[in-house]
Amino acid sequence: MKTTLDPAPRSYAPHVYLVDRSQRGRSCAPEQQDFEDVRNWLLHEATGFNSVMLMFEEFMWRCQAAGLGIDRASLHIGTLHPRVIGFSWLWNSQDGFCDEIAADAGAIKHATFTRNPLFKVMAEGQTIKVDLESAEGAGSAPLMGELADQGYTVYVAWPLSSAGAMHNAMTLASTRPGGFAPQSRDRIRALIDVFALHVERHILHRIARNVADTYLGPIAGQRVLDGEIRRGDGEAIEAVVFISDMRGFTQLADRLSGPEVTAILNAYFDRVSAAVLGHGGDILKFMGDGLLAVFDEKSLGVSAAADAALGASKVALAAIDALNEAPPDGLPDPALWHPVRIGIGLHRGEVFFGNVGGEERLDFTVIGRAVNETSRVESLCKPLGRELLMTELVRASLSEDLVTDLNAMGEHALRGVGKPVAIFAA
């Protein structure tokens, strides 16, 4: 949803966002197919697809090439995600597009969904068939009227599974006079029964990826899913380490309730994490009121990693200033916490990026001397009266135009470091 696209010439309801589109058209499938061809494709080649969108698109074009009369189709699944309740894929032969869309929590309560026959399928597990050639069918819901105007004659929707509070679902529509031919109906259902097995496989993979991304971050999450699950798995990387910390958190926790403290922490983490992720960083851990992230020099480049870390820091601090200037609804009385103050420390060095912990309970994180030294740099923010500090190693890696705005803060002793370290403020 962070990379939503312009859906034109299509349009989507509120709370629904286009995240990907394929327009390969008929070229993605053979010109001629029969029922057995499509079935064999589902049993063999379709197992190699990693993309639901591309698999669904080719399946629909193959069904049309087989003369099954499907001119429009959609697939709807629920998911586990902190911001998204479900994904859908919409294909039709008229414009040739296959879209992947995401729906946030507001979609399930919006009239465009609750008045759609699909609602009864997903919420109650019903199977729906609407005769769009009749005035009653065309007038049964706004979407049915739109489909009838576009020349569709029948709309069918049914649940694919009953897992979770909401059913997954699929819809089909045809422009054939009289709807789907009798001889096609059993064949369509037989094909979709096989297709549904692929959908279940992709749902499980997508949920696993969402959970891994949410709790580990996209880079660490992918590595865990790729098999790095043994203690000690990982690698040494060169990175710019980013640590932020909230000032006065202990006192805040003493005078506010748990939910109130959580609300303030989430507001702070929302802004800092958005800045880090938006600049290509990877968040490894939320530590009480602290955040640990890295900007990998291998993937970003040495100078680009330093530039990104500094850019993320400045955006994060600006976002915290905006939070203080206009606290959003849902936070406690500002008199009890205002303003939020944070410190950010940046340092550069080698860290171990991988699994540490007990034999049966691991954490995928970064450890090493550079992490410890970054924490000690950040702890200087308060005594030096600065919000953002970095070491000479970071300053030396920055692009020339970014160095001119830095202020030398002198050399400071860091616990565990043999000699004083030059510190700079931005």
Side-chain angles (χ1 to χ4, degrees), residues 231-247:
R231 185 167 58 174
D233 279 351
E235 64 175 332
I237 64 171
E238 294 287 336
V240 176
V241 183
F242 171 113
I243 290 181
S244 71
D245 186 71
M246 183 189 293
R247 297 283 169 263

Side-chain angles (χ1 to χ4, degrees), residues 10 24 63 71 73 254 290 324 377-378 382-383 397:
R10 294 182 178 181
R24 297 179 298 166
C63 286
D71 299 300
D254 285 342
N324 289 326
V377 171
E378 187 281 324
K382 185 175 181 180
S397 301

Side-chain angles (χ1 to χ4, degrees), residues 4 17 20 42 47 63 68 70 110 113 144 155 162 171 225 254 266 271 289 303 309-310 324 342 403 416-417:
T4 55
Y17 311 89
D20 203 359
L42 285 172
T47 61
C63 286
L68 297 178
I70 303 173
H110 200 273
F113 178 62
M144 299 301 101
Y155 172 92
S162 58
T171 76
L225 291 177
D254 285 342
N266 285 338
R271 287 151 179 81
D289 62 327
S303 181
L310 178 57
N324 289 326
I342 72 170
V403 174
V417 179

Side-chain angles (χ1 to χ4, degrees), residues 63-388:
C63 286
Q64 190 172 81
L68 297 178
I70 303 173
D71 299 300
R72 180 187 187 275
S74 64
L75 172 65
H76 309 266
I77 67 170
T79 192
L80 287 176
H81 190 281
R83 294 178 295 112
V84 178
I85 62 167
F87 292 92
S88 299
W89 293 266
L90 290 89
W91 167 90
N92 75 59
S93 60
Q94 294 184 0
D95 62 18
F97 297 153
C98 185
D99 286 353
E100 178 174 334
I101 61 175
D104 68 26
I108 199 170
K109 299 178 181 179
H110 200 273
T112 53
F113 178 62
T114 58
R115 295 176 61 191
N116 188 324
L118 185 63
F119 174 77
K120 293 184 177 294
V121 179
M122 299 186 72
E124 302 172 13
Q126 296 186 23
T127 296
I128 302 291
K129 180 180 178 182
V130 181
D131 178 5
L132 299 176
E133 293 179 304
S134 70
E136 180 183 2
S140 62
L143 176 61
M144 299 301 101
E146 294 175 13
L147 294 179
D149 291 343
Q150 294 168 18
Y152 293 98
T153 58
V154 66
Y155 172 92
V156 183
W158 65 89
L160 292 184
S161 72
S162 58
M166 297 291 287
H167 296 256
N168 301 319
M170 189 165 181
T171 76
L172 301 177
S174 178
T175 60
R176 179 184 179 276
F180 295 107
Q183 65 270 24
S184 296
R185 294 170 189 166
D186 289 343
R187 291 183 172 183
I188 290 172
R189 191 57 194 255
L191 291 174
I192 290 187
D193 284 345
V194 180
F195 177 72
L197 299 177
H198 290 291
V199 174
E200 288 295 323
R201 173 174 64 89
H202 283 282
I203 289 173
L204 292 175
H205 176 77
R206 185 173 287 251
I207 288 175
R209 181 61 196 264
N210 289 343
V211 171
D213 285 356
T214 299
Y215 286 94
L216 298 176
I219 298 175
Q222 186 59 58
R223 292 175 68 160
V224 168
L225 291 177
D226 287 342
E228 291 189 30
I229 60 172
R230 294 183 299 275
R231 185 167 58 174
D233 279 351
E235 64 175 332
I237 64 171
E238 294 287 336
V240 176
V241 183
F242 171 113
I243 290 181
S244 71
D245 186 71
M246 183 189 293
R247 297 283 169 263
F249 177 73
T250 302
Q251 293 80 3
L252 194 70
D254 285 342
R255 65 176 180 267
L256 296 179
S257 67
E260 290 174 327
V261 174
T262 299
I264 295 170
L265 274 178
N266 285 338
Y268 150 57
F269 283 139
D270 269 347
R271 287 151 179 81
V272 178
S273 62
V276 170
L277 296 174
H279 285 76
D282 196 37
I283 297 171
L284 275 301
K285 190 180 293 295
F286 296 97
M287 309 167 292
D289 62 327
L291 183 150
L292 168 64
V294 293
F295 293 81
D296 184 7
E297 294 180 356
K298 182 178 180 181
S299 60
L300 297 174
V302 175
S303 181
D307 291 354
L310 178 57
S313 301
K314 290 182 176 180
V315 169
L317 291 171
I320 295 298
D321 287 342
L323 168 66
N324 289 326
E325 292 174 7
D329 294 337
L331 293 183
D333 182 350
L336 301 175
W337 59 267
H338 190 276
V340 170
R341 295 287 182 235
I342 72 170
I344 297 175
L346 302 178
H347 184 43
R348 176 174 173 258
E350 182 181 275
V351 295
F352 177 76
F353 188 44
N355 285 307
V356 297
E359 291 184 354
E360 297 184 5
R361 175 62 175 89
L362 297 173
D363 189 12
F364 204 105
T365 187
V366 290
I367 58 173
R369 182 173 176 176
V371 177
N372 299 333
E373 292 172 1
T374 307
S375 177
R376 288 158 193 160
V377 171
E378 187 281 324
S379 68
L380 292 174
C381 288
K382 185 175 181 180
L384 293 180
R386 296 287 188 153
E387 295 179 312
L388 171 56

